Amino acid sequence: MTEVEAKFLIRREDQVDRVIGVLEELDFAVRHERDRTQVDTYFDTPDWAILRAGWAYRCRQTGGAGKLTLKSTGVQDGPVFVRDEVEQSLPDEAPGAGGQLPDGPVNERLVSITGDAVKRKLFSVRTRRAIYVAERAGDNPATIEIDVDNCRIRARKSRADAPGHCDFLELEIELVAGEQDAVAEIAATLQSELQLTPAQLSKFERGLHTAGLNPANAGQDSRKRRYKANEPVFDMFFDYVRGQYDIIVEQQPFAWEGLD
């Protein structure tokens, strides 16, 4: 299954009324469907085998029901994310998502990626979600799900300078039926009329930052290098600049968003 959605950060939940107004201008009929609370717990192997294969792996608990999802890292075009998804329901009697799983498409894909490697818990995202449905008939029909997510990430710090917590409001606009262009149309209109800030990061990426996890540096020796007196000063200068560059790259999405 392919997921097509646009993601924006919002500052206040009352901005949702303005979003609904924009959708109605685009000939969508909008209704509030339901509210729910969900907890997403993310896992990977110690050597990041799942992420290196191009997937994020989570277990979602909603009102006692469980669902496993593999979501591809996908492609982002402005605020629009296009990602593949593999899903599997998790029976109540099943063991934890980090251990042995029942047969199903997620388990089958995980076995092909990780074998019997143990999955460690990375972090959890608790979300209070208000769900709306927008439908448009006529020559360009489409059905869109609008999710207003009040999110809280709490994570064990993997390094001293990690935030350890992150609270944010996010607006997701997901295509249910119709052409992919419908999501891009809505996203462009929200940006031009409401000046909403496009999300630069997925919840998974935001969780990694909150925990201070950097898969790109996995396995690298984090100890500070000791320089010898006869080494060229350029080596020390280059290592310092490279370290600063890595920090800039890591922080760039947050600078664009202005959330932190």
Side-chain angles (χ1 to χ4, degrees):
M1 179 176 69
T2 300
E3 175 192 65
V4 180
E5 66 178 2
K7 298 162 71 74
F8 293 91
L9 295 175
I10 55 177
R11 307 302 173 185
R12 304 177 312 277
E13 292 189 19
D14 60 13
Q15 288 181 297
V16 177
D17 292 337
R18 299 182 65 193
V19 171
I20 292 174
V22 168
L23 287 165
E24 290 174 343
E25 291 174 4
L26 295 173
D27 297 326
F28 282 92
V30 185
R31 68 179 186 275
H32 177 236
E33 188 79 359
R34 64 190 184 279
D35 297 332
R36 75 181 185 211
T37 298
Q38 61 194 37
V39 178
D40 294 328
T41 303
Y42 289 83
F43 299 85
D44 208 324
T45 61
D47 64 350
W48 301 99
I50 301 172
L51 182 58
R52 286 190 288 107
W55 300 92
Y57 170 46
R58 77 179 183 212
C59 176
R60 171 168 291 175
Q61 296 289 336
T62 308
K67 182 169 67 174
L68 305 176
T69 302
L70 279 169
K71 184 175 288 193
S72 73
T73 49
V75 177
Q76 182 179 358
D77 181 10
V80 180
F81 293 74
V82 180
R83 294 174 290 198
D84 292 330
E85 280 189 338
V86 182
E87 295 184 335
Q88 174 182 336
S89 297
L90 187 64
D92 293 339
E93 68 275 9
Q100 185 64 39
L101 301 176
D103 291 338
V106 171
N107 183 47
E108 181 179 342
R109 185 68 61 93
L110 283 174
V111 168
S112 70
I113 296 171
T114 68
D116 58 357
V118 174
K119 286 80 174 174
R120 58 171 178 153
K121 176 181 174 179
L122 303 176
F123 55 85
S124 293
V125 184
R126 183 178 184 86
T127 302
R128 289 191 290 108
R129 168 170 284 186
I131 302 172
Y132 298 79
V133 174
E135 295 178 305
R136 180 172 65 187
D139 296 334
N140 189 18
T143 301
I144 304 290
E145 180 177 312
I146 301 104
D147 300 325
V148 182
D149 289 346
N150 191 328
C151 302
R152 169 165 290 187
I153 302 176
R154 293 293 181 268
R156 178 180 296 178
K157 295 184 180 183
S158 65
R159 63 181 197 233
D161 62 341
H165 62 86
C166 179
D167 298 328
F168 59 99
L169 285 170
E170 188 175 69
L171 176 73
E172 293 188 358
I173 301 165
E174 182 176 352
L175 182 68
V176 177
E179 296 296 326
Q180 182 174 325
D181 290 347
V183 173
E185 175 192 12
I186 294 170
T189 306
L190 290 176
Q191 279 191 266
S192 63
E193 295 193 14
L194 303 185
Q195 287 76 54
L196 293 185
T197 303
Q200 300 292 314
L201 300 163
S202 65
K203 291 184 176 72
F204 175 67
E205 292 169 319
R206 214 175 292 281
L208 291 177
H209 173 79
T210 302
L213 296 167
N214 190 347
N217 293 337
Q220 295 184 12
D221 191 347
S222 61
R223 292 174 298 179
K224 199 167 185 178
R225 179 181 169 189
R226 293 178 179 271
Y227 292 91
K228 298 177 181 178
N230 62 348
E231 286 190 80
V233 69
F234 178 80
D235 289 353
M236 181 173 65
F237 172 76
F238 178 80
D239 284 350
Y240 176 79
V241 172
R242 182 174 57 186
Q244 294 299 303
Y245 173 78
D246 290 343
I247 293 172
I248 290 172
V249 170
E250 181 181 356
Q251 296 297 329
Q252 181 186 28
F254 300 93
W256 278 109
E257 291 178 343
L259 180 64
D260 186 347

